[in-house]
Amino acid sequence: MKTTKLLLAALLSSPLVVSAQGPGGPGGPGGPPPMEDPLTKILDRNEDGKLSAGEIKRAATALLKLDKDDDDALSAEELKPEEPKKSRRQKRKEKEGEGQDNPRPPKPPKSPLMEALDTNEDGELSKEELKNAIESLTKLDKDGDGKLSQEESGLKSKEERQRGGPPGGGPGGQGGPPPGGRPGPPRR
């Protein structure tokens, strides 16, 4: 009888512990929002996770909007993602000294867009690299259709960024419903 009560108490309390972290645990959907890459924000104007021919054509001009010091180049500081906005609760915890020993999340990997644009791999975009933005982005266009798909650009749509999933909705771009809208049997 005593074992049953202990088991029941453990089962009833476990969802509370899991839900205290938010859905998905730390860094999941209930965690802090991911930092938004300024290149993605400025180049993918309609936030569909793709770069149209027009978005590619306007790339050099669009990138200069990030140039805060008007030197016609983008420093590492100008390319740095904005910190996500903090909730009142997060600000209060920081003020009270809670959570100070939490490690910073790892830096996000370099985006394929940055890899294509930053030809000298110094983490900055020089005047020359900005001037060649269209040519550099066009090199990512594997199928030669004049635009960059999600797979070619490495971008996510606004909805996918909010969900935190990879392009295509699942591991390796798989996992969403097939064309036609109905999910099939689970893959093994």
Side-chain angles (χ1 to χ4, degrees):
M1 181 76 170
K2 196 173 194 178
T3 306
T4 306
K5 285 183 182 178
L6 284 173
L7 182 60
L8 183 62
L11 287 173
L12 291 174
S13 65
S14 63
L16 298 174
V17 173
V18 172
S19 68
Q21 294 179 348
M35 288 195 260
E36 189 161 5
D37 175 31
L39 288 179
T40 300
K41 191 173 185 176
I42 203 82
L43 293 175
D44 186 17
R45 299 291 297 167
N46 62 1
E47 299 182 345
D48 65 351
K50 305 169 191 166
L51 292 185
S52 67
E55 288 170 327
I56 293 171
K57 185 178 179 182
R58 293 184 292 273
T61 306
L63 288 167
L64 283 174
K65 292 178 182 178
L66 298 173
D67 184 20
K68 293 177 178 79
D69 59 6
D70 292 323
D71 65 350
D72 295 328
L74 297 177
S75 67
E77 187 64 31
E78 291 168 323
L79 290 167
K80 190 170 139 184
E82 288 184 32
E83 292 284 331
K85 297 201 187 298
K86 295 180 181 174
S87 69
R88 289 182 188 175
R89 184 177 190 179
Q90 288 170 319
K91 290 176 185 175
R92 186 179 69 243
K93 281 185 176 183
E94 284 181 6
K95 187 176 180 182
E96 294 171 359
E98 292 180 32
Q100 296 297 327
D101 56 343
N102 290 342
R104 288 195 175 270
K107 284 186 174 181
K110 196 185 243 189
S111 75
L113 296 178
M114 185 61 177
E115 286 182 15
L117 294 167
D118 186 17
T119 55
N120 65 2
E121 300 179 8
D122 66 353
E124 300 184 350
L125 297 179
S126 67
K127 291 178 187 182
E128 190 70 25
E129 288 169 326
L130 289 174
K131 189 174 84 174
N132 296 327
I134 296 170
E135 183 182 324
S136 297
L137 292 173
T138 303
K139 287 179 182 175
L140 293 176
D141 183 18
K142 302 294 183 212
D143 59 11
D145 64 355
K147 51 191 175 187
L148 298 179
S149 66
Q150 285 184 298
E151 291 79 23
E152 292 168 328
S153 69
L155 297 176
K156 296 180 185 178
S157 68
K158 183 177 182 177
E159 292 79 25
E160 289 168 332
R161 289 192 309 270
Q162 289 171 341
R163 280 195 314 260
Q174 304 294 321
R182 290 189 178 171
R187 294 184 180 186
R188 293 183 184 204

